[in-house]
Coordinates of all heavy atoms in Angstrom, one line a residue:
M261 N 0.8 -1.2 0.0 CA 0.0 0.0 0.0 C 0.9 1.3 0.0 O 0.5 2.2 -0.6 CB -0.9 0.0 1.2 CG -2.0 -1.1 1.2 SD -2.9 -1.3 -0.4 CE -4.0 0.0 -0.3
E262 N 2.0 1.2 0.7 CA 2.9 2.4 0.7 C 3.4 2.7 -0.7 O 3.5 3.8 -1.1 CB 4.1 2.1 1.6 CG 3.7 2.1 3.1 CD 4.9 1.7 4.0 OE1 6.1 1.9 3.6 OE2 4.7 1.2 5.1
Q263 N 3.7 1.6 -1.4 CA 4.3 1.8 -2.8 C 3.2 2.4 -3.7 O 3.5 3.3 -4.5 CB 4.7 0.5 -3.3 CG 5.6 0.6 -4.6 CD 6.2 -0.7 -5.0 OE1 5.6 -1.8 -4.8 NE2 7.3 -0.6 -5.6
L264 N 1.9 2.0 -3.5 CA 0.9 2.6 -4.3 C 0.7 4.1 -4.0 O 0.4 4.9 -4.9 CB -0.5 1.8 -4.1 CG -0.5 0.5 -4.7 CD1 -1.8 -0.2 -4.3 CD2 -0.5 0.6 -6.3
Q265 N 0.8 4.4 -2.7 CA 0.7 5.8 -2.4 C 1.8 6.6 -3.0 O 1.6 7.8 -3.5 CB 0.8 6.0 -0.9 CG -0.5 5.5 -0.2 CD -0.4 5.6 1.4 OE1 0.7 5.4 1.9 NE2 -1.5 5.9 2.0
R266 N 3.0 6.1 -3.0 CA 4.2 6.8 -3.7 C 3.9 7.0 -5.2 O 4.2 8.0 -5.7 CB 5.5 6.1 -3.4 CG 6.7 6.8 -4.0 CD 7.9 6.0 -4.1 NE 7.8 4.8 -4.8 CZ 7.8 4.7 -6.2 NH1 7.9 5.8 -6.9 NH2 7.6 3.6 -6.8
I267 N 3.4 5.9 -5.8 CA 3.1 6.0 -7.2 C 2.1 7.0 -7.5 O 2.3 7.8 -8.5 CB 2.7 4.6 -7.7 CG1 3.8 3.6 -7.7 CG2 2.1 4.7 -9.2 CD1 3.4 2.2 -7.9
R268 N 1.1 7.1 -6.8 CA 0.0 8.1 -7.0 C 0.6 9.5 -6.8 O 0.3 10.5 -7.5 CB -1.1 7.9 -6.0 CG -2.0 6.8 -6.5 CD -3.3 6.7 -5.6 NE -4.1 5.5 -6.0 CZ -4.2 4.4 -5.2 NH1 -3.6 4.4 -4.0 NH2 -4.9 3.4 -5.6
Q269 N 1.4 9.7 -5.7 CA 2.1 11.0 -5.4 C 3.0 11.4 -6.5 O 3.0 12.5 -7.0 CB 2.8 10.9 -4.1 CG 3.5 12.2 -3.7 CD 4.2 12.1 -2.4 OE1 4.2 11.1 -1.7 NE2 5.0 13.1 -2.1
D270 N 3.9 10.5 -7.0 CA 4.9 10.8 -8.0 C 4.3 10.9 -9.4 O 4.8 11.6 -10.3 CB 6.0 9.7 -8.0 CG 6.8 9.7 -6.8 OD1 6.7 10.7 -6.0 OD2 7.5 8.8 -6.5
G271 N 3.2 10.1 -9.7 CA 2.6 10.2 -11.0 C 3.1 9.1 -12.0 O 2.8 9.1 -13.1
Y272 N 4.0 8.2 -11.5 CA 4.6 7.2 -12.3 C 5.0 6.0 -11.4 O 5.1 6.1 -10.2 CB 5.8 7.7 -13.1 CG 6.9 8.2 -12.3 CD1 7.9 7.3 -11.9 CD2 7.0 9.5 -11.9 CE1 9.0 7.8 -11.1 CE2 8.0 10.0 -11.1 CZ 9.0 9.1 -10.7 OH 10.1 9.6 -9.9
A273 N 5.2 4.9 -12.1 CA 5.6 3.7 -11.4 C 7.0 3.2 -12.0 O 7.2 3.4 -13.2 CB 4.6 2.5 -11.6
I274 N 7.8 2.6 -11.2 CA 9.1 2.1 -11.7 C 9.1 0.6 -11.5 O 8.7 0.1 -10.4 CB 10.2 2.8 -10.9 CG1 10.3 4.3 -11.2 CG2 11.6 2.1 -11.1 CD1 11.3 5.0 -10.4
E275 N 9.7 -0.1 -12.4 CA 10.0 -1.5 -12.3 C 11.6 -1.6 -12.3 O 12.2 -1.1 -13.2 CB 9.5 -2.3 -13.5 CG 9.4 -3.8 -13.3 CD 10.8 -4.5 -13.5 OE1 11.6 -4.0 -14.4 OE2 11.0 -5.4 -12.8
N276 N 12.1 -2.0 -11.2 CA 13.5 -2.0 -11.0 C 14.2 -3.3 -10.9 O 14.7 -3.7 -9.9 CB 13.9 -1.2 -9.7 CG 15.3 -0.9 -9.5 OD1 16.1 -1.0 -10.4 ND2 15.7 -0.6 -8.3
G277 N 14.0 -4.1 -12.0 CA 14.7 -5.4 -12.0 C 13.9 -6.5 -11.3 O 14.4 -7.6 -11.2
E278 N 12.7 -6.3 -10.9 CA 11.9 -7.3 -10.2 C 11.5 -8.4 -11.2 O 11.5 -9.6 -10.8 CB 10.6 -6.7 -9.6 CG 10.9 -5.8 -8.4 CD 11.0 -4.4 -8.8 OE1 10.9 -4.0 -10.0 OE2 11.1 -3.5 -7.9
Y279 N 11.2 -8.0 -12.4 CA 10.9 -9.0 -13.4 C 12.1 -9.8 -14.0 O 12.1 -11.0 -14.1 CB 10.1 -8.4 -14.6 CG 9.8 -9.3 -15.7 CD1 8.8 -10.3 -15.5 CD2 10.4 -9.2 -16.9 CE1 8.5 -11.2 -16.6 CE2 10.1 -10.0 -18.0 CZ 9.2 -11.0 -17.8 OH 8.9 -11.9 -18.8
K280 N 13.1 -9.0 -14.3 CA 14.3 -9.6 -14.9 C 15.5 -8.7 -14.4 O 15.4 -7.5 -14.6 CB 14.2 -9.7 -16.4 CG 15.4 -10.5 -17.0 CD 15.1 -10.8 -18.4 CE 16.2 -11.7 -18.9 NZ 15.8 -12.7 -19.8
I281 N 16.5 -9.3 -13.9 CA 17.7 -8.5 -13.4 C 18.2 -7.6 -14.6 O 18.4 -8.1 -15.7 CB 18.8 -9.4 -12.9 CG1 18.3 -10.1 -11.6 CG2 20.1 -8.7 -12.6 CD1 19.2 -11.2 -11.1
G282 N 18.5 -6.4 -14.3 CA 19.0 -5.4 -15.3 C 17.9 -4.7 -16.1 O 18.2 -3.7 -16.7
L283 N 16.7 -5.2 -16.1 CA 15.7 -4.6 -16.9 C 14.9 -3.6 -16.0 O 14.5 -4.0 -14.9 CB 14.7 -5.6 -17.4 CG 13.6 -5.2 -18.4 CD1 14.3 -4.8 -19.7 CD2 12.7 -6.3 -18.7
R284 N 14.8 -2.4 -16.4 CA 14.2 -1.3 -15.6 C 13.1 -0.6 -16.5 O 13.3 -0.5 -17.7 CB 15.2 -0.4 -15.1 CG 16.1 -1.0 -14.0 CD 17.1 -0.1 -13.6 NE 17.9 -0.8 -12.5 CZ 18.8 -1.7 -12.6 NH1 19.2 -2.0 -13.8 NH2 19.4 -2.2 -11.6
A285 N 12.1 -0.1 -15.9 CA 11.0 0.5 -16.7 C 10.4 1.6 -15.9 O 10.4 1.6 -14.6 CB 10.0 -0.5 -17.1
V286 N 9.8 2.5 -16.6 CA 8.9 3.6 -15.9 C 7.7 3.7 -16.8 O 7.7 3.5 -18.0 CB 9.7 4.9 -15.9 CG1 10.1 5.4 -17.2 CG2 8.8 6.0 -15.2
C287 N 6.5 3.8 -16.1 CA 5.3 4.0 -16.8 C 4.4 5.0 -16.1 O 4.5 5.2 -14.9 CB 4.6 2.7 -17.1 SG 3.6 2.0 -15.8
A288 N 3.5 5.7 -16.9 CA 2.7 6.7 -16.3 C 1.3 6.6 -16.9 O 1.1 6.1 -18.0 CB 3.2 8.1 -16.6
P289 N 0.3 7.0 -16.1 CA -1.1 6.8 -16.6 C -1.5 7.9 -17.6 O -1.0 9.0 -17.6 CB -1.9 7.0 -15.3 CG -1.1 7.9 -14.5 CD 0.3 7.5 -14.8
V290 N -2.4 7.5 -18.5 CA -3.0 8.5 -19.5 C -4.5 8.6 -19.1 O -5.2 7.6 -19.0 CB -2.9 8.0 -20.9 CG1 -3.6 8.9 -21.9 CG2 -1.4 7.8 -21.3
F291 N -5.0 9.8 -18.8 CA -6.3 10.0 -18.4 C -7.2 10.5 -19.5 O -6.7 11.2 -20.4 CB -6.3 11.1 -17.3 CG -5.6 10.7 -16.0 CD1 -4.2 11.1 -15.9 CD2 -6.2 10.1 -15.0 CE1 -3.5 10.8 -14.7 CE2 -5.5 9.7 -13.9 CZ -4.2 10.1 -13.7
D292 N -8.5 10.2 -19.4 CA -9.5 10.7 -20.4 C -10.2 12.0 -19.9 O -9.8 12.5 -18.8 CB -10.4 9.6 -20.8 CG -11.4 9.2 -19.7 OD1 -11.4 9.8 -18.6 OD2 -12.1 8.2 -19.9
S293 N -11.2 12.4 -20.6 CA -11.9 13.7 -20.2 C -12.7 13.5 -18.9 O -13.0 14.5 -18.3 CB -12.8 14.1 -21.4 OG -13.7 13.1 -21.7
D294 N -13.0 12.3 -18.6 CA -13.7 12.0 -17.3 C -12.7 11.8 -16.1 O -13.2 11.3 -15.1 CB -14.6 10.7 -17.5 CG -15.7 10.9 -18.5 OD1 -16.2 12.1 -18.6 OD2 -16.0 10.0 -19.2
Q295 N -11.5 12.1 -16.4 CA -10.4 11.9 -15.4 C -10.2 10.5 -14.9 O -9.8 10.2 -13.8 CB -10.6 12.8 -14.2 CG -10.7 14.3 -14.6 CD -10.8 15.2 -13.4 OE1 -10.9 14.8 -12.2 NE2 -10.7 16.5 -13.6
K296 N -10.5 9.6 -15.8 CA -10.3 8.1 -15.6 C -9.0 7.7 -16.3 O -8.8 8.1 -17.4 CB -11.5 7.3 -16.0 CG -12.7 7.6 -15.2 CD -13.8 6.7 -15.6 CE -15.1 7.0 -14.8 NZ -16.2 6.3 -15.2
V297 N -8.3 6.8 -15.7 CA -7.1 6.2 -16.4 C -7.6 5.2 -17.4 O -8.4 4.3 -17.1 CB -6.2 5.5 -15.4 CG1 -5.0 4.8 -16.1 CG2 -5.7 6.4 -14.3
R298 N -7.2 5.5 -18.7 CA -7.6 4.6 -19.8 C -6.5 3.9 -20.4 O -6.6 2.8 -20.9 CB -8.3 5.4 -20.9 CG -9.6 6.0 -20.4 CD -10.6 5.0 -20.1 NE -11.9 5.6 -19.7 CZ -12.9 4.9 -19.2 NH1 -12.8 3.6 -19.0 NH2 -13.9 5.5 -18.8
Y299 N -5.3 4.4 -20.3 CA -4.1 3.8 -20.9 C -2.9 4.1 -20.0 O -3.0 4.8 -19.0 CB -3.8 4.4 -22.3 CG -5.0 4.4 -23.2 CD1 -5.8 5.6 -23.3 CD2 -5.4 3.3 -23.9 CE1 -6.9 5.6 -24.2 CE2 -6.5 3.3 -24.8 CZ -7.3 4.4 -24.9 OH -8.4 4.4 -25.7
A300 N -1.8 3.6 -20.4 CA -0.5 3.9 -19.8 C 0.6 3.9 -20.9 O 0.5 3.2 -21.9 CB -0.1 2.8 -18.8
V301 N 1.6 4.7 -20.6 CA 2.7 4.8 -21.5 C 4.0 4.5 -20.7 O 4.0 4.8 -19.5 CB 2.9 6.1 -22.2 CG1 1.8 6.4 -23.2 CG2 3.0 7.3 -21.3
G302 N 5.0 3.9 -21.3 CA 6.1 3.6 -20.6 C 7.4 3.4 -21.4 O 7.3 3.3 -22.7
V303 N 8.5 3.3 -20.8 CA 9.8 3.0 -21.4 C 10.4 1.9 -20.6 O 10.4 1.9 -19.4 CB 10.7 4.3 -21.3 CG1 12.1 4.0 -21.8 CG2 10.1 5.5 -22.0
V304 N 10.9 0.9 -21.4 CA 11.6 -0.2 -20.8 C 13.0 -0.3 -21.4 O 13.2 -0.1 -22.6 CB 10.9 -1.5 -21.2 CG1 11.6 -2.7 -20.6 CG2 9.4 -1.5 -20.7
G305 N 14.0 -0.6 -20.6 CA 15.3 -0.7 -21.1 C 16.3 -1.3 -20.1 O 16.0 -1.6 -19.0
L306 N 17.5 -1.4 -20.6 CA 18.6 -2.0 -19.7 C 19.4 -0.8 -19.1 O 20.5 -0.6 -19.4 CB 19.5 -2.9 -20.6 CG 18.8 -4.1 -21.1 CD1 19.7 -4.8 -22.1 CD2 18.4 -5.0 -20.0
F307 N 18.7 0.0 -18.3 CA 19.3 1.1 -17.6 C 20.2 0.6 -16.5 O 19.9 -0.4 -15.9 CB 18.3 2.0 -17.0 CG 17.3 2.6 -18.0 CD1 16.1 2.1 -18.3 CD2 17.7 3.8 -18.7 CE1 15.3 2.6 -19.3 CE2 16.9 4.4 -19.6 CZ 15.7 3.8 -19.9
R308 N 21.4 1.2 -16.3 CA 22.3 0.8 -15.3 C 21.7 0.9 -13.9 O 21.9 0.0 -13.1 CB 23.6 1.6 -15.4 CG 24.4 1.3 -16.7 CD 25.7 2.1 -16.7 NE 26.2 2.0 -18.0 CZ 27.3 1.3 -18.3 NH1 27.9 0.6 -17.4 NH2 27.8 1.3 -19.5
R309 N 21.1 2.1 -13.6 CA 20.6 2.3 -12.3 C 19.3 3.2 -12.5 O 19.3 4.0 -13.4 CB 21.6 3.0 -11.4 CG 22.8 2.3 -11.1 CD 23.8 3.1 -10.2 NE 23.8 4.5 -10.4 CZ 24.6 5.2 -11.2 NH1 25.4 4.6 -12.0 NH2 24.5 6.5 -11.3
I310 N 18.4 3.2 -11.5 CA 17.3 4.0 -11.6 C 17.6 5.5 -11.1 O 16.9 6.4 -11.4 CB 16.1 3.5 -10.8 CG1 16.4 3.4 -9.3 CG2 15.5 2.2 -11.4 CD1 15.2 3.1 -8.4
D311 N 18.8 5.6 -10.5 CA 19.2 7.0 -10.1 C 20.2 7.6 -11.1 O 20.9 8.5 -10.8 CB 19.8 7.0 -8.7 CG 21.0 6.1 -8.5 OD1 21.3 5.4 -9.5 OD2 21.6 6.2 -7.5
S312 N 20.2 7.0 -12.3 CA 21.1 7.6 -13.4 C 20.4 8.7 -14.1 O 19.2 8.8 -14.1 CB 21.5 6.5 -14.4 OG 20.4 6.1 -15.1
E313 N 21.3 9.5 -14.8 CA 20.7 10.6 -15.6 C 19.9 10.1 -16.7 O 18.8 10.7 -17.0 CB 21.9 11.5 -16.1 CG 21.4 12.7 -16.9 CD 22.6 13.5 -17.3 OE1 23.6 13.6 -16.6 OE2 22.5 14.1 -18.4
E314 N 20.3 9.0 -17.3 CA 19.5 8.5 -18.5 C 18.1 8.0 -18.0 O 17.1 8.2 -18.7 CB 20.2 7.4 -19.2 CG 20.5 6.2 -18.4 CD 21.3 5.1 -19.1 OE1 21.6 5.3 -20.3 OE2 21.7 4.1 -18.5
F315 N 18.0 7.4 -16.8 CA 16.7 7.0 -16.3 C 15.9 8.2 -15.9 O 14.6 8.2 -16.1 CB 16.9 6.0 -15.2 CG 15.6 5.2 -14.9 CD1 15.2 4.2 -15.7 CD2 14.8 5.5 -13.8 CE1 14.0 3.5 -15.5 CE2 13.7 4.8 -13.5 CZ 13.3 3.8 -14.4
E316 N 16.5 9.2 -15.3 CA 15.7 10.4 -15.0 C 15.2 11.1 -16.3 O 14.0 11.6 -16.3 CB 16.6 11.4 -14.3 CG 17.0 11.0 -12.9 CD 15.9 10.9 -11.9 OE1 14.9 11.7 -12.0 OE2 15.9 10.0 -11.1
E317 N 15.9 11.0 -17.4 CA 15.4 11.5 -18.7 C 14.2 10.7 -19.2 O 13.3 11.2 -19.7 CB 16.5 11.5 -19.7 CG 17.6 12.6 -19.4 CD 18.8 12.5 -20.4 OE1 18.7 11.8 -21.4 OE2 19.8 13.2 -20.1
A318 N 14.3 9.4 -19.0 CA 13.2 8.5 -19.3 C 12.0 8.8 -18.6 O 10.9 8.8 -19.1 CB 13.6 7.0 -19.2
I319 N 12.1 9.1 -17.3 CA 11.0 9.5 -16.4 C 10.3 10.7 -17.0 O 9.1 10.8 -17.2 CB 11.4 9.6 -15.0 CG1 11.8 8.3 -14.3 CG2 10.3 10.3 -14.1 CD1 12.4 8.4 -13.0
A320 N 11.2 11.7 -17.2 CA 10.6 13.0 -17.7 C 9.9 12.9 -19.0 O 8.8 13.4 -19.2 CB 11.8 14.0 -17.8
S321 N 10.5 12.1 -19.9 CA 9.9 11.9 -21.3 C 8.6 11.1 -21.1 O 7.6 11.4 -21.8 CB 10.8 11.1 -22.2 OG 12.0 11.8 -22.5
T322 N 8.6 10.1 -20.3 CA 7.3 9.4 -20.1 C 6.2 10.2 -19.5 O 5.1 10.2 -20.0 CB 7.6 8.1 -19.2 OG1 8.6 7.3 -19.8 CG2 6.4 7.3 -18.9
L323 N 6.5 11.0 -18.5 CA 5.5 11.9 -17.9 C 5.0 12.9 -18.9 O 3.8 13.2 -19.0 CB 6.1 12.6 -16.7 CG 6.3 11.7 -15.5 CD1 7.1 12.5 -14.4 CD2 5.0 11.3 -14.9
E324 N 5.9 13.5 -19.7 CA 5.5 14.5 -20.7 C 4.6 13.8 -21.8 O 3.6 14.4 -22.2 CB 6.7 15.1 -21.4 CG 6.4 16.1 -22.5 CD 5.5 17.3 -22.0 OE1 5.3 17.6 -20.8 OE2 4.8 17.9 -22.9
T325 N 5.0 12.6 -22.2 CA 4.2 11.9 -23.2 C 2.8 11.6 -22.7 O 1.8 11.8 -23.4 CB 4.9 10.6 -23.7 OG1 6.2 11.0 -24.3 CG2 4.1 9.9 -24.7
A326 N 2.7 11.1 -21.4 CA 1.4 10.8 -20.8 C 0.6 12.1 -20.7 O -0.6 12.1 -20.9 CB 1.7 10.2 -19.4
R327 N 1.2 13.2 -20.3 CA 0.5 14.5 -20.2 C -0.1 14.9 -21.6 O -1.2 15.3 -21.7 CB 1.5 15.6 -19.7 CG 0.7 16.9 -19.4 CD 1.7 18.1 -19.3 NE 2.4 18.4 -20.6 CZ 1.9 19.0 -21.7 NH1 0.6 19.3 -21.7 NH2 2.6 19.2 -22.7
Q328 N 0.7 14.8 -22.6 CA 0.3 15.1 -24.0 C -0.9 14.2 -24.4 O -1.9 14.7 -25.0 CB 1.4 15.1 -25.0 CG 2.4 16.2 -24.8 CD 3.6 16.1 -25.7 OE1 3.7 15.2 -26.6 NE2 4.6 16.9 -25.5
F329 N -0.7 12.9 -24.2 CA -1.8 12.0 -24.6 C -3.1 12.3 -23.8 O -4.2 12.3 -24.4 CB -1.4 10.5 -24.3 CG -0.5 9.9 -25.4 CD1 0.3 8.9 -25.0 CD2 -0.5 10.4 -26.7 CE1 1.1 8.3 -26.0 CE2 0.4 9.9 -27.6 CZ 1.2 8.8 -27.3
S330 N -2.9 12.6 -22.5 CA -4.1 12.9 -21.7 C -4.8 14.2 -22.2 O -6.0 14.2 -22.3 CB -3.7 13.1 -20.2 OG -3.2 11.9 -19.7
A331 N -4.0 15.2 -22.5 CA -4.6 16.4 -23.0 C -5.3 16.2 -24.3 O -6.4 16.8 -24.6 CB -3.5 17.5 -23.2
S332 N -4.8 15.3 -25.2 CA -5.4 15.1 -26.5 C -6.8 14.3 -26.3 O -7.6 14.3 -27.2 CB -4.5 14.3 -27.4 OG -4.4 13.0 -27.0
L333 N -6.9 13.6 -25.1 CA -8.2 12.9 -24.8 C -9.1 13.8 -24.0 O -10.2 13.4 -23.6 CB -7.9 11.7 -24.0 CG -7.1 10.6 -24.7 CD1 -6.8 9.4 -23.8 CD2 -7.9 10.0 -25.9
G334 N -8.8 15.1 -23.8 CA -9.6 16.0 -23.2 C -9.5 16.2 -21.7 O -10.2 16.8 -21.0
Y335 N -8.4 15.6 -21.1 CA -8.1 15.7 -19.7 C -7.7 17.1 -19.3 O -6.9 17.7 -20.0 CB -7.0 14.7 -19.3 CG -6.6 14.7 -17.8 CD1 -7.5 14.3 -16.8 CD2 -5.4 15.2 -17.5 CE1 -7.1 14.4 -15.5 CE2 -5.0 15.3 -16.2 CZ -5.9 14.9 -15.2 OH -5.5 15.0 -13.8
K336 N -8.3 17.6 -18.2 CA -7.9 18.9 -17.7 C -7.4 18.7 -16.3 O -8.2 18.2 -15.4 CB -9.1 19.8 -17.7 CG -9.8 20.0 -19.0 CD -9.3 21.2 -19.7 CE -10.1 21.5 -20.9 NZ -9.6 21.3 -22.2
A337 N -6.2 19.0 -16.0 CA -5.6 18.8 -14.7 C -6.2 19.7 -13.7 O -6.6 20.7 -13.9 CB -4.1 18.9 -14.7

């Protein structure tokens, strides 16, 4: 439950090698005009660490893409 609270607060979820060692991912929700989550966008890769600059860039890109998709579906923050 703590992890779900952090995900809601941050606006994204991270997969840090739980599925496969070395594989890391970030994903963010895409909202529709009714403010419901309808889709998700994400990036998966062989990032060295989740605290690396390249992973931080992946987070930023994922959040921006999710924001743009949400806006195109009529979502108003």
Side-chain angles (χ1 to χ4, degrees):
M261 295 312 285
E262 291 174 25
Q263 193 173 32
L264 286 174
Q265 288 176 325
R266 184 194 56 77
I267 291 167
R268 285 187 185 108
Q269 179 182 352
D270 294 345
Y272 61 90
I274 292 175
E275 196 282 322
N276 188 18
E278 292 91 358
Y279 175 69
K280 187 168 186 143
I281 294 173
L283 190 64
R284 292 175 174 82
V286 58
C287 80
V290 175
F291 298 93
D292 66 9
S293 60
D294 294 326
Q295 300 185 356
K296 293 183 180 178
V297 176
R298 294 296 178 189
Y299 308 98
V301 294
V303 173
V304 179
L306 296 171
F307 297 96
R308 293 180 192 255
R309 298 180 327 271
I310 61 169
D311 61 350
S312 67
E313 184 177 324
E314 65 183 352
F315 196 74
E316 292 294 326
E317 290 174 11
I319 292 170
S321 293
T322 301
L323 288 171
E324 178 59 20
T325 300
R327 186 197 65 74
Q328 290 177 4
F329 283 156
S330 295
S332 71
L333 293 174
Y335 175 71
K336 305 264 193 252

